[in-house]
Amino acid sequence: MAKAIENMSLDELQAYQKEVEAAIKGYEKKRKADALAAVRETARTHGFTLEELIGGKATGKTTAKGVAKYANPADPSQTWTGRGRQPAWVKEALAAGKSLDTMAI
């Protein structure tokens, strides 16, 4: 560093802080990518893909799938967890005067 921190102006310190934060984020992103690559390589040496071992996509993100609580009486393959937006078949049944209890699994 060419200039001592004590001699920097507020604007220079804030700019330097942004540079440091960006460098930290880049460092963490690279460490995660390196760790993921190492885990994939370990899985490969054992004859598996990472996806096979963890049962899904290896993106680092997980989504919790809820358990279905309601089923369409006309088509039981259509289900709904009761969370999020109501499917069209639920809206139609409610508009027809049915209650959610009649569609409970």
Side-chain angles (χ1 to χ4, degrees):
M1 181 175 1
K3 194 173 186 182
I5 291 176
E6 297 83 23
N7 297 329
M8 289 184 176
S9 69
L10 179 59
D11 289 338
E12 291 173 322
L13 287 169
Q14 289 172 336
Y16 189 60
Q17 181 181 18
K18 288 180 183 177
E19 288 179 40
V20 170
E21 288 172 358
I24 289 170
K25 284 181 185 176
Y27 180 79
E28 290 173 347
K29 188 174 182 179
K30 182 173 179 349
R31 281 186 55 216
K32 284 181 184 179
D34 290 347
L36 183 57
V39 171
R40 284 187 191 277
E41 178 60 24
T42 300
R44 190 191 64 75
T45 61
H46 290 281
F48 299 99
T49 65
L50 183 57
E51 290 77 11
E52 288 175 314
L53 295 176
I54 63 170
K57 294 183 179 179
T59 61
K61 297 179 183 177
T62 59
T63 56
K65 300 286 183 186
V67 176
K69 294 182 182 176
Y70 306 99
N72 184 349
D75 182 1
S77 68
Q78 294 178 328
T79 60
W80 181 49
T81 63
R83 297 185 335 200
R85 294 175 54 184
Q86 293 177 337
W89 60 267
V90 171
K91 290 180 183 178
E92 291 169 7
L94 293 174
K98 293 186 179 180
S99 71
L100 281 178
D101 293 336
T102 62
M103 295 178 274
I105 296 177

